[in-house]
Amino acid sequence: MKFKKSKAQWVYGFGGGHADGNAGLKELLGGKGANLAEMSNLGLSVPPGFTISTEVCVHYYANGRAYPETLKREVQKALSRVEKIAGGKFGHRKKPLLLSVRSGAQASMPGMMDTVLNIGLNDENVERLGELSKDRRFAWDSYRRFLQMYGDVVLDVPHYLFEDILELYKTEHGLNLDTDLAAEDWQAIAGAYKARIEQELGVPFPQDPEAQLWGAIGAVFDSWMNQRAITYRRLHDIPEDWGTAVTVQAMVFGNMGEDCATGVAFTRNPATGEKDFYGEFLVNAQGEDVVAGIRTPQPMTERARLQAGSSAPSMETTMPEVYAELCDMRDRLESHFRDMQDIEFTVQRKKLWVLQTRNGKRTMSAALKIAVDMTEEGLITHEEAIRRIDPAALDQMLHPTLDPDAEQTVLASGLPASPGAATGRIVFTAAEAETEAARGASVILVRVETSPEDIHGMHAAAGILTTRGGLTSHAAVVARGMGRPCVSGAGDIRINEEAGEMRIGDCVLKRGDVLTIDGAKGNVLLGEVPMRQPELSGDFAIVMDWADRVRRLGVRANAETPQDAEVARRFGAEGIGLCRTEHMFFEGSRILAVREMILADGTEARRAALAKLLPMQRDDFVEIFRAMAGLPVTIRLLDPPLHEFLPKTDAEMQDLAAKLGFDAGEVKVRIERLHEMNPMLGHRGCRLGITYPEIYEMQARAIFEAVVALAEKTGEAVVPEIMIPLVTSRKEFDFLKELIERVAGEVLSAEGEKLAYQIGTMIELPRAALRAAEIAKSAEFFSFGTNDLTQTTFGISRDDAGGFLKSYLEKKLIEKDPFATLDIDGVGELVRIAVERGRAARGDLHLGICGEHGGDPASIAFCEEIGLDYVSCSPYRVPIARLAAAHAALKKA
Amino acid sequence: MKFKKSKAQWVYGFGGGHADGNAGLKELLGGKGANLAEMSNLGLSVPPGFTISTEVCVHYYANGRAYPETLKREVQKALSRVEKIAGGKFGHRKKPLLLSVRSGAQASMPGMMDTVLNIGLNDENVERLGELSKDRRFAWDSYRRFLQMYGDVVLDVPHYLFEDILELYKTEHGLNLDTDLAAEDWQAIAGAYKARIEQELGVPFPQDPEAQLWGAIGAVFDSWMNQRAITYRRLHDIPEDWGTAVTVQAMVFGNMGEDCATGVAFTRNPATGEKDFYGEFLVNAQGEDVVAGIRTPQPMTERARLQAGSSAPSMETTMPEVYAELCDMRDRLESHFRDMQDIEFTVQRKKLWVLQTRNGKRTMSAALKIAVDMTEEGLITHEEAIRRIDPAALDQMLHPTLDPDAEQTVLASGLPASPGAATGRIVFTAAEAETEAARGASVILVRVETSPEDIHGMHAAAGILTTRGGLTSHAAVVARGMGRPCVSGAGDIRINEEAGEMRIGDCVLKRGDVLTIDGAKGNVLLGEVPMRQPELSGDFAIVMDWADRVRRLGVRANAETPQDAEVARRFGAEGIGLCRTEHMFFEGSRILAVREMILADGTEARRAALAKLLPMQRDDFVEIFRAMAGLPVTIRLLDPPLHEFLPKTDAEMQDLAAKLGFDAGEVKVRIERLHEMNPMLGHRGCRLGITYPEIYEMQARAIFEAVVALAEKTGEAVVPEIMIPLVTSRKEFDFLKELIERVAGEVLSAEGEKLAYQIGTMIELPRAALRAAEIAKSAEFFSFGTNDLTQTTFGISRDDAGGFLKSYLEKKLIEKDPFATLDIDGVGELVRIAVERGRAARGDLHLGICGEHGGDPASIAFCEEIGLDYVSCSPYRVPIARLAAAHAALKKA
């Protein structure tokens, strides 16, 4: 905890125009509590309440789930204040005040933790509530809701038991919809619920409001450690020790009749970023009804209604006065919080109450538009605009969308819940989605609706399709947050999970069939549909331009083909940081020559095979140099062990022997001789260049001849940076440097040209990092190969880590997958050591990173901190790296 | 070079009672040159000469094989001085002075570099040499020897060409032995040699003595870089940049008649260390004849003659005056050099000349006896005695010898050339020896005689058997140096290399047949003969006792069985530093339960299988604790990946499935699922304990129950040190520490005992070393697993390094195999970091090393330097480690 208080204060009141806290106290009060306090201070109509701070949560878990001593007293005091403002009395027979208890952590964790509403109701005061509200049905409905929610959340009575009772009652009485049930029906059901709870627990449902309140508070604190919440925190990098706050608030009711409503609104469109008032509401409903997606909600504005072609009347026309009030609130909140807000509100008998405001989740294109618009509106600065864009989330902008010119067979339509398009095989459960994705398959998760239990599977899926729920349903909110395309509420689709199939009219699709969804339009399409590269213009280009002006780190791409190189350039790469020459070896016509080279008997035969490869490699380099004209290209000499290029089965070996005119038995023997126990630590990298210098000679020759050829054709000078992989000492490096320089001399004297080039190395083994001072005396640049450096520093083979890394993450033995985000404490220390020693030995040593961490924002921040010159990542991650580099520069400044 | 001179001096004269140099200048003059200077200064009769320093060699190679400018002038000056003392003139027709040119590096490299004798002879002065020596035959014999040697060494004319000429001449003239040839015969042969040389080279043999001399000097400098010398340096860790000196010396002749002789003598017996005058000589011979082992030489003393049952008369009786002179010289040299000397001498017409003295090579038992005796004689101190024993060479003392009670079929006898016994398959070439040894076979290299070309194969062989040559033959000297048992001169054996067989009388043995040699007795035995553990008493025990008093480092053993533990104790181990629990898993009856455990479907089934293993592991620990009673035992929990325990072939899998009552297909699937790409970096070590905590629970339970059981039986308290392998972070360690502590608590509360134990970790991954400060907050001890630490720091799999490490050594890209001797610059830095950080976090952190480096003297010196508490190595290396630790302590002090 960063803040200090002279005296412990566990409870913070709000409401009635002022509050103990404010928006700055998110760490202490959670996002929800802090913003409720802030809104109270602003004088907005917030139901009064109080927030039990996150410190209580920390205390709770540090002390075997016990509360601080003074908590009870503070809660009583805060509750008295709420009663005073709200004008009721908690647990009172005559003037019962009902309460809600909600979680609220520093970061939003929608749906992950528990909520209990209508606390304070009991057999004694339920009828009185009916009298006061003049709505007996409402009172008994509220009571049965309370019994069900409290029973499920606090008392652990499975919720299907309640549902069974309700269904049975409906069947027995020939009733269909909930709205068909009268007060007496709800009363009977409430009785049945209570009986069932007593049967399950052996004790009656707690009638004492005080006991109810503390039960609910405890349940919310406990839900901080439920499996859903733990998984969510892991996926979103939320530290466990933050804890959650608990907000206790006077209830207001959107379900007290036709002049009541509840809704969710965004101050700007969260899908597009456009500046219009966007949202949904339901008349005579509780807030949970909107989010759960059970009833299809109504639009806020007429414009939205017309756009959606909906017949449900908008709030603008239904409740014009409340709508005007809401518009005013929207303006005040956005200009106060200086960001797009996601507002929850309730209308109780025409009175507008705001229950929550928070920065609204939005799609990446909306985020870009809002950031650019708000900058132009003068609301935020350029730097704030940059900071508002999460580099990791930019990913969703950088993936293909459907080609509008392609033929599309639209099977069904739903809501455009999260933009982007995805093609994949149909799966019907989250578990299936995970399994198939782990096998490398792209899958579309198809569900009636999603729940927090599904987030694993949603994360694993390429896209999500639901048959129920609106734009603010669970599926929609979570998919947008994850950057997964999502179509929600595609009501024409019928799912039969057991049969493993879904029907759309007459069309039956089975588990494993291929489907495409277009999250931008809300369409479900048959089979695979051609995609198109994203347009990286408009707001995107503006923000990237701002980011480029701020960042210090260069951004290059890892690319082996002219196509990759072109994509990289288009995405703003400033050069190639890693061109893996072996990728050129796998291509159809070459692999035979490569295999001939590997199986050659002696140096002369190997040279003969290499001579065949030379013109092919040279042409590759010519093409890449041309694509990157004017920009640096770092070329890594052959790295993988030779057996990777060889066939595995006897049949393939025989085929190869026939093609090469070799003896089949001999080919098999030679291939077997190349087998390695641990290829990752085997005969690869510069070890190949040292044992078979002729291979690196050929590659060096191809590079230099390509430079000369291109210079002759185009007059453009390329400065190749030749990178020697897997070095552990200066001696190894020098041996090969000498070889490369000799070849350069030969090519030059043959061509009579003058040639500039650099020779450097990858730092990808612990020993290389430790010996950086020596190596830098010879090497002109270092590129950190953090994939292999992570493997060797941890002693973990990435190929084999599946068996235990998951267990490590679950048991919290590591915070993040070290292959995704650089392990700063271990691997990072070696990188830091190498930077310090390398620079001390050679002041102008050029330093970059080319492992996959080069495209990871957290790792990029580390690269900025230690002063690397550039990062290199996959072409599609270049924009992410550019933005992350800007963030890192702003953070450092 | 450590020494500095104000003015360059390249040549150092000696002879005539004084010298420019002395014994302290070995770096500059080489061992031979420095000792010749020292002997001159002592007034011993040394043929005058001069030494061209090692600096010239360094200059020669640094300047494209060119000499320093002033060298020629200095050589001329030194030569004049030699002529003055010797009373002849180099190249003179009337008073021809002949010279020898010999190599001499700082370290002895016997036979590796070239020598040329009789330089200065030519057509003009050969007859004059006959007149002066009154022996025309001697003169022409000397000339033809010179032509042959110079032709071979300097002019690169293959030596078999000369041998062919000689053989042909003998055949044509019906002559048999060299002694049958008269002056005229040698004259004719010399003529034929010259003709052949001219035919080969196209120019006549150089007649100018000056040209001859410089040719010979150049050849010796060139021989520093011949393949033999390079290999020898690599095997003996001699740096290339030392260079060799060249000693030019006036010739003296042991082959000028029956009052001439040449010989080699040791001041004490180099095989046993006994204080008697030991050696061999040949009448009327040149020095080379003794070393080459072509004629069987005569003993020095009567006592030796009687002992050997030889009929060849001893020098004591043949040349009593010279013998007396030699005895006097022996006393002077040994008391002056304070070590056993190996002396080369020549008697020319009854005048004794000493040509060389150096510290004599000796067997390890001789070294021990000499060190102990000399200490008792007051010649050297205890510390010097310790320093005199090379820990690495101690190895030869620590291996089994023949069981004297075993039945032995002696096939043949030879000379006891190097002690120890060895059993192995017969091979006839060095190449075969290398190949077979690389396949893991124990081989006996059988040769007529060995030459420097064979050292590769001698190194690879378990023992060496020759049919020719004496105790100072090449085979004998080299085998003693390498610690290989050797029987030399077993003349009854006839080798037919082409047929791949050897005959001893009627007995025919073929390549691959098993043979045993007893190097202590000189016997060759049929088949395998039972061996006996070495007796580690007497001088050995005395020196070890002195070493133990000097050393600071503790010495433990790596042992898994009670037998190993007992050997370790007998060898002086002070505990077990590494008990690998998985070794207990492989034993016959257990492997089934282990496999059942691995293939178990779920935790419960695994627990059931583990319950079967528990009593077996407990019993193992009881036995080991009993064997090590009172000493610490470090137990490493299960480390290897589980697939190592599983069958590989389909047949074995089916068999296993049947035994376990599992489905065969399912067994195969489960085994395949456990396959790993890089097992070294896979699911092993503490990763097993984290994913399957029940395995480590069982092991911890077995350990604690064993401690309790033993305490109940014997009353002896054992303090087990439980070691968690492959840790990368404190979190991993804590997770398992908690588990072990829980089990300890359970066993204790069940048994009502009080138990002391420690929990520590292996530091074997770079990240563990870097995070040592954190880990040491929880771990009570660190043991450096330098095998894996070397693999990960270098990124080299030891199993796969064969393909390139040899190339690295040959190309000098690494100095030593980092798996044999700790890489101090890289791996060592990580160890140092871990020591510093670990100790800073926990002052009493106990530190040891248990990789194979724990038995390597150079690595032990590093362990002393960085302040480890102990080293742990294989039981047979414990004495080596004790002595090496003493050396390290002396070096540090």
Side-chain angles (χ1 to χ4, degrees), chain B residues 8-12 51-53 55-56 59 68-71 74:
Chain B
Q9 179 180 354
W10 306 109
V11 175
Y12 295 75
T51 300
I52 303 174
S53 80
E55 289 183 323
V56 174
H59 181 284
E69 235 177 275
T70 55
L71 181 66
E74 286 192 45

Side-chain angles (χ1 to χ4, degrees), chain B residues 26 29-32 54 103-109 113 224 242-245:
Chain B
K26 285 204 169 63
L29 304 180
K32 187 194 302 265
T54 56
S103 64
Q106 186 175 336
S108 169
M109 293 170 61
M113 289 181 290
W224 177 248
W242 279 4
T244 183

